[in-house]
Amino acid sequence: MAESAKSVAERAEERLEEVAQNVRERFDRITKGGFADTVKEGRFGDQVDHGVDRARDDERRRKQGGSTG
C-alpha cells in the first residue's frame, strides 16, 4: 500500500512540474518576455507616484496647523 501511495505521489509531482513549466512557457509567450524586460529597463521608474506627493502635502499642512481635508 505504501509503495502505491509513493508512486502516486511521484506521478502527481511530475504532473505538477509539467504544469508549472507549461505555465511559465505560456506566460513568456503571452508577455513575450516583455514585461520583465520593461521593468528592468526602467520604463516604470520615471512615473510619478501621486499618492506619495499627496501624503507629503497632507503632512506639511498638519505641521502648519491646517486641515488635510
Side-chain angles (χ1 to χ4, degrees):
M1 178 87 175
E3 188 62 36
S4 64
K6 183 177 178 182
S7 65
V8 169
E10 287 174 353
R11 283 190 304 215
E13 185 177 359
E14 290 171 4
R15 288 181 187 167
L16 286 174
E17 288 175 6
E18 289 177 18
V19 169
Q21 182 62 32
N22 287 339
V23 168
R24 282 191 290 272
E25 290 172 2
R26 288 181 184 184
F27 180 81
D28 287 342
R29 195 174 338 132
I30 290 169
T31 62
K32 294 183 177 41
F35 185 74
D37 295 338
T38 301
V39 171
K40 288 177 186 174
E41 291 171 3
R43 179 173 181 180
F44 298 107
D46 60 348
Q47 291 183 351
V48 177
D49 186 351
H50 296 289
V52 171
D53 294 337
R54 179 171 289 173
R56 286 181 185 150
D57 290 342
D58 290 348
E59 185 63 27
R60 189 178 307 119
R61 279 192 221 104
R62 266 190 232 111
K63 285 181 180 178
Q64 294 175 351
S67 173
T68 60

